[in-house]
Amino acid sequence: MIFHDTETIVAPATAVGGALCVIRISGKEAIAICDNIFQGRKPLSEAKTATLHYGNIVDGGVVVDDVVVSVFRAPHSYTGEDSIEISAHGSRYIVNKILSLITHQGARIAEAGEFTRRAFLAGRMDLSQAEAVADIIASSSQAAHAIASTQMRGAYSDELRALREELIRITSLLELELDFSEEDVEFANRDELRNLLNTILNKVNSLANSFSLGNALKEGIMVAIAGRPNVGKSTLLNRLAGEDRAMVSDIAGTTRDTIEITTNIDGVTYRFIDTAGMHSTNDRLEQMGIERTEQALRKARIILWMQDCNECHSSMEDFSPTPNQTLLRVVNKIDLMEGHHTPSAQDELVPTFYISAKSGEGVDKLIEEFKSLTNASSAYEGEVIVSSQRHYDALIQSRTALQSALNALNAGISSDLLSEDIRQVMHHIGTITGEITSDDILKSIFSKF
Ligand code: GDP
Protein backbone atom coordinates (compact mmCIF):
# COMPACT_ATOMS: atom_id res chain seq x y z
CA MET A 1 0.00 0.00 0.00
CA ILE A 2 1.35 3.41 -0.95
CA PHE A 3 -0.45 5.67 1.50
CA HIS A 4 -3.32 5.51 3.93
CA ASP A 5 -6.33 7.72 3.38
CA THR A 6 -7.46 9.14 6.65
CA GLU A 7 -10.05 11.56 5.37
CA THR A 8 -13.67 10.62 4.99
CA ILE A 9 -14.95 11.30 1.49
CA VAL A 10 -18.41 11.86 0.05
CA ALA A 11 -19.89 12.10 -3.46
CA PRO A 12 -23.10 11.41 -5.32
CA ALA A 13 -22.81 7.98 -7.01
CA THR A 14 -25.66 8.61 -9.44
CA ALA A 15 -26.51 11.49 -11.74
CA VAL A 16 -28.77 14.04 -10.11
CA GLY A 17 -32.16 14.42 -11.76
CA GLY A 18 -33.55 10.89 -11.50
CA ALA A 19 -36.21 9.89 -8.98
CA LEU A 20 -33.55 8.80 -6.52
CA CYS A 21 -29.92 9.70 -5.94
CA VAL A 22 -27.34 7.66 -4.05
CA ILE A 23 -24.75 9.55 -2.00
CA ARG A 24 -21.74 7.56 -0.89
CA ILE A 25 -19.56 8.25 2.13
CA SER A 26 -16.40 6.29 2.87
CA GLY A 27 -13.80 6.50 5.61
CA LYS A 28 -13.28 6.12 9.33
CA GLU A 29 -15.86 8.78 10.25
CA ALA A 30 -18.50 7.75 7.70
CA ILE A 31 -20.89 6.16 10.21
CA ALA A 32 -20.40 8.80 12.93
CA ILE A 33 -20.90 11.66 10.46
CA CYS A 34 -24.09 10.12 9.12
CA ASP A 35 -25.39 9.53 12.65
CA ASN A 36 -25.20 13.30 13.26
CA ILE A 37 -27.63 14.07 10.43
CA PHE A 38 -29.77 10.91 10.35
CA GLN A 39 -32.72 10.05 12.58
CA GLY A 40 -33.88 6.45 12.39
CA ARG A 41 -35.16 3.86 14.83
CA LYS A 42 -31.69 3.37 16.27
CA PRO A 43 -28.26 4.94 15.79
CA LEU A 44 -26.24 3.71 12.81
CA SER A 45 -23.31 3.11 15.16
CA GLU A 46 -25.26 0.08 16.40
CA ALA A 47 -26.00 -1.20 12.88
CA LYS A 48 -24.52 -4.43 11.55
CA THR A 49 -22.70 -4.50 8.21
CA ALA A 50 -24.75 -4.69 4.98
CA THR A 51 -27.99 -3.51 6.59
CA LEU A 52 -30.61 -0.98 5.47
CA HIS A 53 -32.13 1.71 7.68
CA TYR A 54 -35.12 3.90 7.00
CA GLY A 55 -35.26 7.38 8.52
CA ASN A 56 -34.87 11.13 7.97
CA ILE A 57 -31.98 13.40 7.14
CA VAL A 58 -32.39 16.41 9.40
CA ASP A 59 -30.83 19.84 9.49
CA GLY A 60 -31.17 21.32 13.00
CA GLY A 61 -34.51 19.65 13.60
CA VAL A 62 -35.88 20.36 10.08
CA VAL A 63 -36.45 17.25 7.92
CA VAL A 64 -34.54 17.51 4.61
CA ASP A 65 -35.69 14.20 3.11
CA ASP A 66 -36.78 10.70 4.07
CA VAL A 67 -34.09 8.29 3.00
CA VAL A 68 -32.79 4.74 3.15
CA VAL A 69 -29.27 4.39 4.50
CA SER A 70 -27.08 1.32 3.80
CA VAL A 71 -24.30 0.59 6.26
CA PHE A 72 -21.19 -1.36 5.27
CA ARG A 73 -18.51 -1.95 7.84
CA ALA A 74 -14.79 -2.33 7.06
CA PRO A 75 -13.49 -4.47 5.49
CA HIS A 76 -16.75 -5.69 3.96
CA SER A 77 -17.39 -2.73 1.69
CA TYR A 78 -16.42 -1.62 -1.83
CA THR A 79 -13.58 0.56 -0.54
CA GLY A 80 -12.70 -1.76 2.33
CA GLU A 81 -13.48 1.14 4.72
CA ASP A 82 -16.60 1.93 6.75
CA SER A 83 -19.07 3.12 4.13
CA ILE A 84 -22.55 4.57 3.97
CA GLU A 85 -24.88 4.90 1.02
CA ILE A 86 -27.80 7.30 1.36
CA SER A 87 -30.65 6.81 -1.11
CA ALA A 88 -32.42 10.14 -1.21
CA HIS A 89 -34.89 11.74 -3.61
CA GLY A 90 -32.98 12.97 -6.64
CA SER A 91 -33.69 16.68 -6.46
CA ARG A 92 -30.67 18.91 -6.96
CA TYR A 93 -31.66 20.86 -3.84
CA ILE A 94 -31.86 17.75 -1.62
CA VAL A 95 -28.60 16.29 -2.93
CA ASN A 96 -26.69 19.56 -2.48
CA LYS A 97 -28.18 20.02 0.98
CA ILE A 98 -27.17 16.52 2.12
CA LEU A 99 -23.67 16.95 0.62
CA SER A 100 -23.24 20.24 2.45
CA LEU A 101 -24.44 18.75 5.75
CA ILE A 102 -21.93 15.94 5.38
CA THR A 103 -19.01 18.19 4.43
CA HIS A 104 -19.86 20.42 7.41
CA GLN A 105 -19.31 17.36 9.58
CA GLY A 106 -15.74 17.08 8.27
CA ALA A 107 -15.94 14.88 5.18
CA ARG A 108 -14.60 16.21 1.89
CA ILE A 109 -15.92 15.79 -1.64
CA ALA A 110 -14.22 12.80 -3.30
CA GLU A 111 -11.90 13.23 -6.26
CA ALA A 112 -12.60 11.48 -9.57
CA GLY A 113 -12.20 7.71 -9.12
CA GLU A 114 -11.32 8.03 -5.43
CA PHE A 115 -13.71 5.33 -4.17
CA THR A 116 -12.23 2.83 -6.64
CA ARG A 117 -8.69 4.01 -5.91
CA ARG A 118 -9.31 3.30 -2.21
CA ALA A 119 -10.71 -0.12 -3.14
CA PHE A 120 -7.48 -0.83 -5.03
CA LEU A 121 -5.25 0.47 -2.21
CA ALA A 122 -7.16 -1.63 0.31
CA GLY A 123 -6.49 -4.71 -1.84
CA ARG A 124 -10.17 -5.19 -2.68
CA MET A 125 -9.24 -5.44 -6.36
CA ASP A 126 -6.10 -5.22 -8.45
CA LEU A 127 -5.30 -2.36 -10.81
CA SER A 128 -6.59 -4.03 -13.98
CA GLN A 129 -9.88 -4.75 -12.20
CA ALA A 130 -10.12 -1.15 -11.03
CA GLU A 131 -9.54 0.07 -14.59
CA ALA A 132 -12.27 -2.31 -15.76
CA VAL A 133 -14.72 -0.55 -13.42
CA ALA A 134 -14.19 2.66 -15.44
CA ASP A 135 -14.53 0.71 -18.69
CA ILE A 136 -17.74 -0.97 -17.57
CA ILE A 137 -19.25 2.41 -16.66
CA ALA A 138 -18.23 3.78 -20.07
CA SER A 139 -19.21 0.68 -22.09
CA SER A 140 -21.70 1.58 -24.78
CA SER A 141 -22.03 -1.78 -26.50
CA GLN A 142 -22.53 -5.39 -25.51
CA ALA A 143 -19.04 -6.32 -26.77
CA ALA A 144 -17.27 -3.52 -24.86
CA HIS A 145 -19.26 -4.50 -21.77
CA ALA A 146 -18.30 -8.18 -22.15
CA ILE A 147 -14.57 -7.36 -22.30
CA ALA A 148 -14.73 -5.03 -19.29
CA SER A 149 -16.85 -7.48 -17.33
CA THR A 150 -14.38 -10.37 -17.88
CA GLN A 151 -11.58 -8.06 -16.76
CA MET A 152 -13.50 -6.81 -13.71
CA ARG A 153 -14.30 -10.33 -12.57
CA GLY A 154 -10.56 -11.04 -12.53
CA ALA A 155 -10.06 -13.54 -15.40
CA TYR A 156 -7.41 -11.21 -16.79
CA SER A 157 -5.58 -10.85 -13.48
CA ASP A 158 -5.65 -14.63 -12.98
CA GLU A 159 -3.83 -15.17 -16.28
CA LEU A 160 -1.25 -12.52 -15.48
CA ARG A 161 -0.75 -13.79 -11.95
CA ALA A 162 -0.13 -17.30 -13.29
CA LEU A 163 2.50 -15.88 -15.67
CA ARG A 164 4.19 -14.01 -12.85
CA GLU A 165 4.28 -17.09 -10.64
CA GLU A 166 6.05 -19.05 -13.38
CA LEU A 167 8.54 -16.20 -13.72
CA ILE A 168 9.15 -16.06 -9.98
CA ARG A 169 9.89 -19.80 -10.03
CA ILE A 170 12.45 -19.36 -12.83
CA THR A 171 14.21 -16.41 -11.22
CA SER A 172 14.49 -18.14 -7.88
CA LEU A 173 16.22 -21.09 -9.57
CA LEU A 174 18.52 -18.76 -11.51
CA GLU A 175 19.35 -16.77 -8.43
CA LEU A 176 20.12 -19.90 -6.51
CA GLU A 177 22.79 -20.57 -9.14
CA LEU A 178 24.38 -17.21 -8.30
CA ASP A 179 24.97 -18.38 -4.73
CA PHE A 180 26.95 -21.30 -6.10
CA SER A 181 28.66 -19.42 -8.93
CA GLU A 182 32.05 -20.93 -8.21
CA GLU A 183 30.76 -24.45 -8.54
CA ASP A 184 29.27 -23.99 -12.03
CA VAL A 185 25.97 -25.67 -11.22
CA GLU A 186 22.71 -25.27 -13.13
CA PHE A 187 19.60 -25.62 -11.02
CA ALA A 188 17.46 -24.34 -13.81
CA ASN A 189 17.51 -26.92 -16.59
CA ARG A 190 18.25 -24.84 -19.70
CA ASP A 191 15.88 -26.73 -22.03
CA GLU A 192 13.09 -26.52 -19.50
CA LEU A 193 13.82 -22.82 -19.07
CA ARG A 194 13.73 -22.23 -22.82
CA ASN A 195 10.38 -24.03 -23.08
CA LEU A 196 8.96 -22.06 -20.21
CA LEU A 197 10.12 -18.72 -21.63
CA ASN A 198 8.64 -19.68 -25.00
CA THR A 199 5.34 -20.63 -23.37
CA ILE A 200 5.24 -17.28 -21.60
CA LEU A 201 6.22 -15.46 -24.78
CA ASN A 202 3.34 -17.17 -26.62
CA LYS A 203 0.93 -16.12 -23.90
CA VAL A 204 2.20 -12.53 -23.91
CA ASN A 205 1.98 -12.52 -27.72
CA SER A 206 -1.57 -13.80 -27.75
CA LEU A 207 -2.62 -11.20 -25.17
CA ALA A 208 -0.87 -8.44 -27.13
CA ASN A 209 -2.42 -9.63 -30.39
CA SER A 210 -5.89 -9.47 -28.85
CA PHE A 211 -5.45 -5.71 -28.41
CA SER A 212 -6.26 -4.91 -32.00
CA LEU A 213 -9.72 -6.53 -31.58
CA GLY A 214 -10.14 -5.37 -27.98
CA ASN A 215 -9.38 -1.76 -28.81
CA ALA A 216 -11.66 -1.87 -31.85
CA LEU A 217 -14.52 -3.38 -29.82
CA LYS A 218 -14.04 -0.81 -27.07
CA GLU A 219 -13.74 2.24 -29.34
CA GLY A 220 -15.97 1.00 -32.16
CA ILE A 221 -14.95 -0.76 -35.40
CA MET A 222 -13.96 1.89 -37.89
CA VAL A 223 -15.29 1.30 -41.40
CA ALA A 224 -14.24 3.84 -44.04
CA ILE A 225 -16.41 4.19 -47.11
CA ALA A 226 -14.22 5.48 -49.91
CA GLY A 227 -14.64 5.95 -53.63
CA ARG A 228 -15.20 8.51 -56.35
CA PRO A 229 -17.84 11.22 -55.94
CA ASN A 230 -21.39 10.16 -56.72
CA VAL A 231 -20.88 6.40 -56.43
CA GLY A 232 -23.36 6.32 -53.52
CA LYS A 233 -21.23 6.52 -50.35
CA SER A 234 -23.56 8.83 -48.46
CA THR A 235 -26.56 6.76 -49.52
CA LEU A 236 -24.94 3.60 -48.14
CA LEU A 237 -24.00 5.38 -44.92
CA ASN A 238 -27.59 6.50 -44.44
CA ARG A 239 -28.83 2.98 -45.04
CA LEU A 240 -26.35 1.52 -42.55
CA ALA A 241 -27.22 4.15 -39.97
CA GLY A 242 -30.93 3.76 -40.60
CA GLU A 243 -31.48 7.50 -40.69
CA ASP A 244 -30.76 10.40 -43.00
CA ARG A 245 -27.62 11.82 -41.50
CA ALA A 246 -25.24 12.33 -44.40
CA MET A 247 -26.06 14.75 -47.18
CA VAL A 248 -27.03 12.90 -50.38
CA SER A 249 -26.96 14.71 -53.69
CA ASP A 250 -25.92 14.07 -57.25
CA ILE A 251 -23.54 16.99 -57.54
CA ALA A 252 -20.04 15.52 -57.52
CA GLY A 253 -18.06 16.49 -54.41
CA THR A 254 -21.06 17.14 -52.11
CA THR A 255 -19.49 15.23 -49.25
CA ARG A 256 -16.80 17.76 -48.62
CA ASP A 257 -15.59 16.41 -45.35
CA THR A 258 -15.60 13.09 -43.55
CA ILE A 259 -18.89 12.32 -41.82
CA GLU A 260 -18.98 9.74 -39.07
CA ILE A 261 -21.97 7.77 -37.91
CA THR A 262 -21.88 5.39 -34.98
CA THR A 263 -24.29 2.50 -35.04
CA ASN A 264 -24.73 -0.74 -33.18
CA ILE A 265 -24.94 -4.04 -35.05
CA ASP A 266 -25.45 -7.18 -32.95
CA GLY A 267 -23.85 -5.71 -29.84
CA VAL A 268 -20.85 -4.22 -31.61
CA THR A 269 -20.32 -0.50 -32.20
CA TYR A 270 -19.34 0.42 -35.75
CA ARG A 271 -18.06 3.84 -36.73
CA PHE A 272 -18.86 4.32 -40.39
CA ILE A 273 -16.97 7.12 -42.01
CA ASP A 274 -18.17 8.56 -45.26
CA THR A 275 -15.11 10.08 -46.81
CA ALA A 276 -14.82 12.92 -49.26
CA GLY A 277 -14.54 11.73 -52.84
CA MET A 278 -11.02 10.89 -53.96
CA HIS A 279 -10.42 13.04 -56.99
CA SER A 280 -8.02 15.78 -57.88
CA THR A 281 -9.32 19.24 -57.12
CA ASN A 282 -8.07 22.77 -56.75
CA ASP A 283 -10.79 23.65 -54.26
CA ARG A 284 -9.08 24.29 -50.93
CA LEU A 285 -12.02 23.01 -48.86
CA GLU A 286 -12.31 19.83 -50.88
CA GLN A 287 -8.57 19.37 -50.68
CA MET A 288 -8.79 19.43 -46.88
CA GLY A 289 -11.58 16.88 -47.01
CA ILE A 290 -9.42 14.60 -49.12
CA GLU A 291 -6.58 14.86 -46.62
CA ARG A 292 -8.97 13.82 -43.86
CA THR A 293 -10.10 10.94 -46.06
CA GLU A 294 -6.56 9.70 -46.22
CA GLN A 295 -6.30 9.90 -42.42
CA ALA A 296 -9.55 7.96 -42.00
CA LEU A 297 -8.33 5.35 -44.45
CA ARG A 298 -5.18 4.83 -42.43
CA LYS A 299 -7.11 4.30 -39.18
CA ALA A 300 -9.92 2.14 -40.54
CA ARG A 301 -10.18 -1.57 -39.87
CA ILE A 302 -12.44 -2.22 -42.82
CA ILE A 303 -12.31 -0.18 -46.01
CA LEU A 304 -15.20 -0.24 -48.44
CA TRP A 305 -14.05 0.78 -51.86
CA MET A 306 -17.23 1.79 -53.64
CA GLN A 307 -17.74 1.85 -57.37
CA ASP A 308 -20.69 2.62 -59.57
CA CYS A 309 -21.77 -0.51 -61.46
CA ASN A 310 -21.55 1.41 -64.70
CA GLU A 311 -17.88 2.06 -64.06
CA CYS A 312 -16.98 -1.09 -62.22
CA HIS A 313 -14.87 -2.42 -65.01
CA SER A 314 -12.62 0.60 -64.76
CA SER A 315 -9.43 -0.07 -62.84
CA MET A 316 -9.52 0.00 -59.00
CA GLU A 317 -7.97 3.03 -57.45
CA ASP A 318 -4.53 2.34 -56.15
CA PHE A 319 -4.93 1.48 -52.50
CA SER A 320 -3.11 -1.17 -50.56
CA PRO A 321 -4.49 -2.07 -47.13
CA THR A 322 -2.13 -2.70 -44.23
CA PRO A 323 -2.10 -6.23 -42.71
CA ASN A 324 -4.63 -5.12 -40.06
CA GLN A 325 -7.08 -3.81 -42.62
CA THR A 326 -9.59 -5.55 -44.83
CA LEU A 327 -10.44 -4.09 -48.19
CA LEU A 328 -13.88 -4.89 -49.59
CA ARG A 329 -15.03 -3.80 -53.01
CA VAL A 330 -18.61 -2.62 -53.16
CA VAL A 331 -20.28 -2.28 -56.54
CA ASN A 332 -23.31 -0.03 -56.15
CA LYS A 333 -26.49 0.85 -58.06
CA ILE A 334 -27.20 -2.68 -59.26
CA ASP A 335 -30.84 -1.60 -59.57
CA LEU A 336 -29.70 0.34 -62.64
CA MET A 337 -28.03 -2.69 -64.13
CA GLU A 338 -29.78 -4.53 -66.92
CA GLY A 339 -29.79 -8.29 -66.54
CA HIS A 340 -27.22 -10.10 -64.41
CA HIS A 341 -23.79 -8.73 -63.75
CA THR A 342 -20.88 -10.51 -65.29
CA PRO A 343 -18.08 -11.01 -62.77
CA SER A 344 -14.98 -9.02 -63.58
CA ALA A 345 -11.35 -9.87 -63.02
CA GLN A 346 -11.41 -7.58 -59.96
CA ASP A 347 -13.98 -9.82 -58.26
CA GLU A 348 -11.24 -12.41 -57.97
CA LEU A 349 -8.72 -10.01 -56.47
CA VAL A 350 -10.82 -8.37 -53.77
CA PRO A 351 -13.96 -9.71 -52.03
CA THR A 352 -16.74 -7.96 -53.93
CA PHE A 353 -20.31 -7.16 -52.93
CA TYR A 354 -22.96 -6.11 -55.40
CA ILE A 355 -25.49 -3.82 -53.77
CA SER A 356 -28.07 -1.14 -54.26
CA ALA A 357 -27.58 1.38 -51.49
CA LYS A 358 -30.82 2.98 -52.59
CA SER A 359 -33.06 -0.11 -52.42
CA GLY A 360 -31.04 -2.00 -49.81
CA GLU A 361 -30.52 -5.04 -51.99
CA GLY A 362 -27.31 -6.91 -51.09
CA VAL A 363 -26.59 -4.73 -48.02
CA ASP A 364 -27.44 -7.61 -45.64
CA LYS A 365 -24.63 -9.71 -47.12
CA LEU A 366 -22.23 -6.83 -46.58
CA ILE A 367 -23.29 -6.53 -42.93
CA GLU A 368 -22.82 -10.30 -42.51
CA GLU A 369 -19.26 -9.82 -43.77
CA PHE A 370 -18.62 -7.07 -41.17
CA LYS A 371 -19.79 -9.43 -38.46
CA SER A 372 -17.61 -12.30 -39.57
CA LEU A 373 -14.58 -10.00 -39.89
CA THR A 374 -15.18 -8.60 -36.42
CA ASN A 375 -15.43 -11.91 -34.57
CA ALA A 376 -16.88 -10.47 -31.38
CA SER A 377 -17.95 -13.93 -30.18
CA SER A 378 -14.65 -14.43 -28.34
CA ALA A 379 -15.55 -11.44 -26.14
CA TYR A 380 -18.94 -12.91 -25.28
CA GLU A 381 -17.35 -16.27 -24.49
CA GLY A 382 -15.31 -14.65 -21.71
CA GLU A 383 -11.99 -14.86 -23.53
CA VAL A 384 -9.39 -12.54 -22.04
CA ILE A 385 -9.01 -9.65 -24.47
CA VAL A 386 -6.71 -6.69 -23.95
CA SER A 387 -8.49 -3.41 -24.58
CA SER A 388 -6.30 -0.96 -22.67
CA GLN A 389 -3.45 0.87 -24.40
CA ARG A 390 -1.57 0.92 -21.08
CA HIS A 391 -1.75 -2.86 -20.76
CA TYR A 392 -0.79 -3.33 -24.40
CA ASP A 393 2.31 -1.14 -23.97
CA ALA A 394 3.34 -3.15 -20.88
CA LEU A 395 2.89 -6.42 -22.80
CA ILE A 396 5.06 -5.16 -25.67
CA GLN A 397 7.78 -4.23 -23.19
CA SER A 398 7.48 -7.66 -21.57
CA ARG A 399 7.83 -9.23 -24.98
CA THR A 400 11.05 -7.34 -25.70
CA ALA A 401 12.50 -8.46 -22.35
CA LEU A 402 11.41 -12.07 -22.97
CA GLN A 403 13.06 -12.09 -26.37
CA SER A 404 16.20 -10.68 -24.87
CA ALA A 405 16.14 -13.41 -22.18
CA LEU A 406 15.76 -16.08 -24.85
CA ASN A 407 18.65 -14.61 -26.84
CA ALA A 408 20.78 -14.55 -23.68
CA LEU A 409 19.87 -18.16 -23.00
CA ASN A 410 20.74 -19.27 -26.54
CA ALA A 411 24.06 -17.42 -26.37
CA GLY A 412 24.85 -19.16 -23.07
CA ILE A 413 25.04 -15.87 -21.18
CA SER A 414 25.42 -15.96 -17.40
CA SER A 415 22.47 -16.50 -15.08
CA ASP A 416 22.68 -13.04 -13.51
CA LEU A 417 22.03 -11.27 -16.84
CA LEU A 418 19.34 -13.78 -17.69
CA SER A 419 17.55 -13.23 -14.41
CA GLU A 420 17.79 -9.47 -14.96
CA ASP A 421 15.80 -9.81 -18.22
CA ILE A 422 13.22 -11.98 -16.47
CA ARG A 423 12.92 -9.44 -13.69
CA GLN A 424 12.12 -6.86 -16.37
CA VAL A 425 9.28 -9.06 -17.66
CA MET A 426 7.96 -9.41 -14.11
CA HIS A 427 8.17 -5.66 -13.66
CA HIS A 428 6.16 -4.86 -16.79
CA ILE A 429 3.50 -7.48 -16.09
CA GLY A 430 3.33 -6.23 -12.51
CA THR A 431 2.46 -2.74 -13.72
CA ILE A 432 -0.71 -4.12 -15.32
CA THR A 433 -2.10 -5.66 -12.16
CA GLY A 434 -0.64 -2.96 -9.92
CA GLU A 435 1.94 -5.05 -8.00
CA ILE A 436 4.36 -2.45 -9.37
CA THR A 437 2.97 1.03 -9.44
CA SER A 438 3.63 4.69 -8.91
CA ASP A 439 1.58 7.65 -7.78
CA ASP A 440 1.73 9.09 -11.30
CA ILE A 441 0.25 5.96 -12.87
CA LEU A 442 -2.51 5.86 -10.25
CA LYS A 443 -3.30 9.54 -10.75
CA SER A 444 -3.58 9.16 -14.48
CA ILE A 445 -5.75 6.03 -14.22
CA PHE A 446 -8.21 7.24 -11.59
CA SER A 447 -8.55 10.75 -12.98
CA LYS A 448 -10.25 9.13 -15.98
CA PHE A 449 -13.20 7.99 -13.84
P1 GDP B 1 -21.47 9.97 -52.86
O1 GDP B 1 -20.99 11.22 -53.53
O2 GDP B 1 -20.58 8.81 -53.19
O3 GDP B 1 -21.68 10.12 -51.40
O4 GDP B 1 -22.87 9.60 -53.55
P2 GDP B 1 -24.37 9.86 -53.03
O5 GDP B 1 -24.71 8.89 -51.97
O6 GDP B 1 -24.51 11.30 -52.75
O7 GDP B 1 -25.19 9.42 -54.29
C1 GDP B 1 -25.06 10.07 -55.55
C2 GDP B 1 -26.31 9.83 -56.36
O8 GDP B 1 -26.47 8.45 -56.64
C3 GDP B 1 -27.59 10.27 -55.64
O9 GDP B 1 -28.47 10.84 -56.54
C4 GDP B 1 -28.14 8.94 -55.11
O10 GDP B 1 -29.54 9.00 -54.97
C5 GDP B 1 -27.73 8.02 -56.20
N1 GDP B 1 -27.61 6.62 -55.71
C6 GDP B 1 -26.90 6.19 -54.65
N2 GDP B 1 -27.01 4.86 -54.52
C7 GDP B 1 -27.83 4.44 -55.52
C8 GDP B 1 -28.33 3.15 -55.90
O11 GDP B 1 -28.08 2.10 -55.30
N3 GDP B 1 -29.14 3.13 -56.99
C9 GDP B 1 -29.46 4.25 -57.69
N4 GDP B 1 -30.27 4.11 -58.74
N5 GDP B 1 -29.01 5.47 -57.34
C10 GDP B 1 -28.20 5.57 -56.28
Side-chain angles (χ1 to χ4, degrees):
M1 198 182 290
I2 299 175
F3 57 84
H4 289 275
D5 292 289
T6 50
E7 289 168 302
T8 297
I9 52 171
V10 60
T14 52
V16 183
L20 294 177
C21 180
V22 175
I23 296 165
R24 276 198 289 190
I25 318 171
S26 180
K28 274 203 182 67
E29 302 301 323
I31 295 172
I33 286 176
C34 200
D35 253 340
N36 288 339
I37 59 165
F38 175 77
Q39 279 176 355
R41 275 207 307 182
K42 59 175 187 182
L44 298 171
S45 56
E46 291 168 18
K48 290 201 178 111
T49 190
T51 51
L52 294 178
H53 307 270
Y54 176 73
N56 288 325
I57 297 290
V58 287
D59 177 16
V62 179
V63 173
V64 176
D65 194 16
D66 60 332
V67 298
V68 174
V69 171
S70 328
V71 175
F72 302 95
R73 289 188 179 276
H76 305 289
S77 72
Y78 181 71
T79 54
E81 305 169 329
D82 280 351
S83 297
I84 294 278
E85 285 178 15
I86 303 172
S87 298
H89 292 101
S91 107
R92 192 172 298 280
Y93 169 75
I94 294 174
V95 173
N96 286 343
K97 185 77 196 166
I98 297 176
L99 286 176
S100 102
L101 288 172
I102 293 168
T103 49
H104 267 95
Q105 297 288 326
R108 71 163 164 79
I109 299 289
E111 290 164 18
E114 197 170 0
F115 288 92
T116 307
R117 192 182 71 193
R118 287 187 177 198
F120 162 66
L121 292 174
R124 302 287 292 164
M125 57 179 79
D126 72 22
L127 199 52
S128 74
Q129 287 174 297
E131 286 171 291
V133 173
D135 285 348
I136 218 160
I137 295 168
S139 64
S140 58
S141 70
Q142 188 188 352
H145 170 266
I147 294 175
S149 168
T150 304
Q151 188 175 327
M152 197 173 77
R153 281 180 281 113
Y156 196 75
S157 324
D158 289 348
E159 290 215 2
L160 294 173
R161 204 164 295 118
L163 280 186
R164 254 176 87 85
E165 267 158 29
E166 284 299 339
L167 290 166
I168 290 168
R169 193 169 72 81
I170 305 182
T171 11
S172 60
L173 287 175
L174 285 173
E175 285 175 4
L176 203 57
E177 288 177 9
L178 299 181
D179 295 341
F180 294 86
S181 53
E182 263 130 59
E183 287 154 50
D184 198 20
V185 286
E186 282 187 358
F187 291 111
N189 176 301
R190 290 313 189 243
D191 288 334
E192 214 177 289
L193 194 56
R194 190 173 294 109
N195 284 342
L196 196 51
L197 288 175
N198 275 317
T199 308
I200 296 169
L201 183 59
N202 285 341
K203 187 71 228 169
V204 166
N205 269 333
S206 89
L207 282 174
N209 290 343
S210 74
F211 176 66
S212 160
L213 175 65
N215 190 49
L217 290 177
K218 183 164 144 184
E219 307 290 341
I221 311 275
M222 206 157 166
V223 183
I225 310 177
R228 287 177 177 277
N230 249 4
V231 293
K233 298 183 298 295
S234 311
T235 311
L236 176 62
L237 185 83
N238 287 338
R239 179 156 292 283
L240 290 167
E243 53 186 299
D244 270 16
R245 290 278 289 280
M247 195 179 355
V248 180
S249 98
D250 49 11
I251 308 159
T254 310
T255 311
R256 290 203 158 188
D257 208 338
T258 52
I259 294 175
E260 180 177 325
I261 281 187
T262 301
T263 191
N264 195 294
I265 301 174
D266 276 5
V268 175
T269 301
Y270 287 86
R271 294 166 57 197
F272 290 102
I273 297 172
D274 176 6
T275 61
M278 299 281 277
H279 61 125
S280 55
T281 174
N282 291 326
D283 184 312
R284 178 79 192 108
L285 256 182
E286 269 190 56
Q287 189 55 45
M288 281 162 65
I290 290 168
E291 279 161 23
R292 268 192 277 271
T293 296
E294 284 165 359
Q295 269 178 22
L297 289 177
R298 274 195 295 275
K299 283 197 279 176
R301 216 174 146 79
I302 300 172
I303 295 162
L304 302 185
W305 201 272
M306 266 185 106
Q307 292 178 318
D308 188 313
C309 67
N310 294 313
E311 298 175 340
C312 68
H313 292 281
S314 64
S315 72
M316 285 260 296
E317 255 91 348
D318 182 29
F319 185 79
S320 44
T322 66
N324 286 331
Q325 296 181 316
T326 304
L327 180 64
L328 304 177
R329 178 169 162 255
V330 177
V331 177
N332 189 30
K333 307 193 189 180
I334 53 166
D335 53 303
L336 296 181
M337 229 161 40
E338 285 169 15
H340 273 290
H341 63 262
T342 41
S344 72
Q346 291 176 36
D347 294 20
E348 313 258 306
L349 294 174
V350 186
T352 300
F353 294 82
Y354 285 81
I355 67 159
S356 166
K358 201 168 197 170
S359 75
E361 193 185 342
V363 175
D364 285 357
K365 276 210 179 107
L366 190 60
I367 291 176
E368 281 309 312
E369 183 69 9
F370 297 158
K371 288 195 225 163
S372 73
L373 287 171
T374 304
N375 184 27
S377 55
S378 49
Y380 303 140
E381 284 154 14
E383 203 171 288
V384 172
I385 296 175
V386 178
S387 67
S388 145
Q389 181 74 48
R390 193 182 79 78
H391 298 178
Y392 175 71
D393 293 343
L395 287 165
I396 295 301
Q397 282 173 307
S398 309
R399 178 164 71 191
T400 309
L402 273 166
Q403 275 157 346
S404 153
L406 275 162
N407 289 342
L409 190 61
N410 291 338
I413 281 171
S414 64
S415 2
D416 52 343
L417 292 175
L418 201 53
S419 73
E420 186 46 42
D421 282 329
I422 296 171
R423 283 200 169 279
Q424 280 297 314
V425 183
M426 277 167 42
H427 171 88
H428 292 304
I429 291 181
T431 62
I432 298 178
T433 44
E435 274 122 338
I436 311 281
T437 191
S438 74
D439 255 0
D440 287 345
I441 295 183
L442 294 187
K443 260 205 194 102
S444 108
I445 289 173
F446 290 106
S447 65
K448 291 191 194 112
F449 270 69

